[in-house]
Amino acid sequence: MRGIEAALKVWQDVKAGKFASESIRSVADSLSPGDLVLASSLVYCTLRRQFLWKEIYSHFLRVSPGGISQYAGDALCLGTAGILELRTFVPKVLVNGLVQELKKRGDERGAKIVNAVLRRVAEEGWLQLKKIEESGAPKDQALAAGVPGWVVSSWRNSWGDQGKKLLKMARIRPYSSFRISPGTAPGDLSSAAEKKGIRCWKSPLVPNALRLAATIYPPEFPGYAEGRATPQTESSMLVGEVMKKVYKGGSILELCAGRGIKTGHILSLFPDARVESFELSPAKSKAAMREMERLGKKSNHIITTGDALSLVPAVHPALISLDAPCSGSGTWNRHPEGKWRLTPEKLDFLASLQINLLRRAVSLLAPGGIVVYSTCSLLKNENENVVAQVISENANLVEMSFPFSGARFRKGRPWGTYVWPELPWLDGFYMAVIMKKSGGKAIDG
């Protein structure tokens, strides 16, 4: 399989509901390193601003978009993105590759249309791109940033002038960062990475973390296979660092373990604590167990598959991590498919779920216990509104001061704190530290 063929396959998988990273992993073994880079770069640059590319190629399309095959439409979108954003690839080679793929599928008409339109894009598309990027119209700003228009409106309402900065940050190309396990010197892995041509250095923001100057396939990084290095954004790592700052001893409960990335960090930060994790998805639960095996961390830890809204921990926890299922709006640079699947209705559903999960978390807390509520979202509906709702219902709850400050943090309005996604290693995150006063009671079921 070649890179352009792989990119078209992955694009179709994403349209069918898969995550791009999942689909790319499924074809990685059949690609050369160069073709893997081409396919990944092409898919992600297209996904981040797919409606912008459709707007541009439609300007040169002389037939109705409904009058071409779906596959030709995919080729036009990928080709336009590749020509206008991936400057390292020769447009003629990209166009010819896409045309040949259409011919292999027997779509001769589509091949001719794609050839003609993409050659016009290569000649004049940059003028259309410049016009849109320089426009002050809300629709054009949303297209240029690669953010749904209704989300742009939400950011403006929540952040005012700061919302404009979020639109610029939405175009930052994400880079990899790795969490280094205890007992491993970051400098040793950094040196090993440099020998493989991977440029990296210690993070000034998070202890025991390395920043890379690019995005990398995790197994290629030294120490990954042995469990000494784990890909994790610095924003995500900060959740564990916040827990470490507020921890006063006792059992720890993780309400939504996901695939176990934060679980591994929690276990490394609290090696002597009893840690229990809940995860609704059997597939994610199995992935978390495999992650614990890779890290060599199975003692003092229990993963239970089931609904966190009804499961009961073996011991009342003193500290709970609730990394709630969310829109992922703070990670859209890294996982761009998510933004095109989010609707206002789905956001309302997520906010309702988050409120119920936070209610459940504080109900399970022992008196004096603490819950660290977090999302990888920049939408107020999932953050301040959730915390405000739950705190207003329970007089025994109080928000604690956030233990970090600095240029990368923004105070919520009024609850919680945001990690601002202004660097390639930082996703947009939100955290709130909530304590149950000693007068409160924990429930038993």
Side-chain angles (χ1 to χ4, degrees):
M1 184 179 291
R2 301 188 61 182
I4 292 175
E5 179 188 1
L8 283 164
K9 179 188 181 305
V10 171
W11 185 254
Q12 290 182 316
D13 286 347
V14 170
K15 289 174 66 176
K18 282 188 178 181
F19 286 101
S21 56
E22 175 187 353
S23 181
I24 288 170
R25 281 195 297 269
S26 72
V27 300
D29 290 342
S30 63
L31 297 173
S32 68
D35 279 330
L36 178 59
V37 170
L38 169 59
S40 300
S41 301
L42 198 51
V43 166
Y44 277 109
C45 83
T46 306
L47 265 176
R48 289 189 182 103
R49 300 198 284 174
Q50 62 172 305
F51 288 104
L52 170 65
W53 311 129
K54 290 179 180 178
E55 180 79 9
I56 291 174
Y57 79 65
S58 295
H59 182 79
F60 303 104
L61 190 61
R62 296 294 176 254
V63 299
S64 166
I68 60 175
S69 69
Q70 185 179 39
Y71 207 66
D74 294 344
L76 284 172
C77 200
L78 287 164
T80 302
I83 290 168
L84 297 179
E85 189 153 307
L86 295 183
R87 306 302 176 108
T88 54
F89 297 103
V90 179
K92 185 177 180 179
V93 174
L94 179 59
V95 173
N96 287 342
L98 289 166
V99 167
Q100 290 306 313
E101 286 301 320
L102 284 167
K103 288 182 177 180
K104 281 167 56 177
R105 289 179 172 252
D107 189 357
E108 291 289 341
R109 178 175 177 271
K112 290 179 181 179
I113 292 173
V114 167
N115 183 58
V117 171
L118 291 184
R119 291 187 186 281
R120 291 285 305 279
V121 169
E123 293 170 0
E124 305 174 46
W126 65 274
L127 290 171
Q128 294 297 316
L129 178 60
K130 183 179 180 182
K131 180 181 177 181
I132 291 171
E133 290 185 332
E134 292 179 352
S135 171
K139 176 190 173 184
D140 289 339
Q141 289 183 343
L143 286 171
V147 176
W150 67 274
V151 174
V152 173
S153 298
S154 175
W155 281 352
R156 282 179 175 155
N157 292 337
S158 298
W159 294 100
D161 289 341
Q162 295 281 322
K164 295 179 182 178
K165 294 183 179 179
L166 279 179
L167 288 180
K168 292 181 179 179
M169 293 174 198
R171 295 180 57 184
I172 294 175
R173 187 177 298 275
Y175 290 161
S176 297
S177 53
F178 279 78
R179 185 186 81 234
I180 308 306
S181 298
T184 298
D188 291 346
L189 289 187
S190 178
S191 298
E194 294 284 351
K195 290 178 181 177
K196 295 182 65 175
I198 302 170
R199 183 166 169 254
C200 58
W201 59 94
K202 290 183 68 174
S203 166
L205 184 62
V206 183
N208 299 315
L210 291 175
R211 290 177 172 178
L212 276 63
T215 300
I216 190 174
Y217 184 48
E220 294 178 1
F221 193 74
Y224 174 82
E226 300 83 6
R228 297 191 294 153
T230 300
Q232 186 176 8
T233 69
E234 292 186 13
S235 303
S236 176
M237 293 184 220
L238 281 166
V239 176
E241 297 299 326
V242 168
M243 293 175 64
K244 186 177 179 180
K245 287 283 188 180
V246 302
Y247 183 62
K248 299 175 182 178
S251 177
I252 298 174
L253 174 64
E254 185 187 25
L255 272 192
C256 303
R259 298 182 180 276
I261 301 301
K262 283 192 184 71
T263 311
H265 193 202
I266 291 170
L267 291 172
S268 69
L269 291 173
F270 307 101
D272 299 322
R274 185 186 190 283
V275 180
E276 188 173 1
S277 299
F278 296 160
E279 173 51 46
L280 176 63
S281 165
K284 289 182 179 179
S285 186
K286 289 179 181 177
M289 292 176 186
R290 290 194 297 270
E291 177 68 2
M292 296 310 103
E293 291 175 1
R294 185 184 69 85
L295 295 172
K297 293 185 177 296
K298 296 180 72 174
S299 60
N300 294 336
H301 181 238
I302 302 169
I303 298 179
T304 303
T305 304
D307 190 345
L309 293 173
S310 57
L311 289 174
V312 179
V315 179
H316 284 308
L319 177 63
I320 294 178
S321 169
L322 171 52
D323 186 39
C326 71
S327 66
S329 56
T331 69
W332 282 347
N333 283 3
R334 207 172 298 276
H335 305 293
E337 56 271 76
K339 58 187 167 187
W340 309 120
R341 297 171 183 170
L342 183 67
T343 63
E345 293 76 21
K346 186 173 182 180
L347 183 63
D348 288 342
F349 168 80
L350 287 168
S352 177
L353 174 62
Q354 291 149 1
I355 288 170
N356 287 331
L357 284 168
L358 186 54
R359 285 172 177 155
R360 179 63 177 173
V362 297
S363 74
L364 293 172
L365 279 177
I370 294 169
V371 58
V372 177
Y373 175 78
S374 62
T375 72
C376 51
S377 173
L378 292 167
L379 295 169
K380 189 172 183 178
N381 309 55
E382 303 182 277
N383 299 326
E384 295 101 315
N385 291 3
V386 171
V387 173
Q389 178 68 39
V390 175
I391 286 183
S392 68
E393 297 170 349
N394 192 329
N396 288 311
L397 301 179
V398 60
E399 183 186 13
M400 298 176 64
S401 297
F402 193 72
F404 295 103
S405 61
R408 312 304 176 204
F409 302 99
R410 299 286 189 281
K411 185 74 179 71
R413 302 181 180 184
W415 308 102
T417 299
Y418 285 87
V419 181
W420 215 236
E422 56 190 1
L423 295 173
W425 310 277
L426 293 176
D427 290 337
F429 253 71
Y430 173 85
M431 285 173 267
V433 184
I434 302 167
M435 182 179 72
K436 177 185 281 188
K437 291 185 287 188
S438 57
K441 293 182 179 180
I443 67 171
D444 292 319

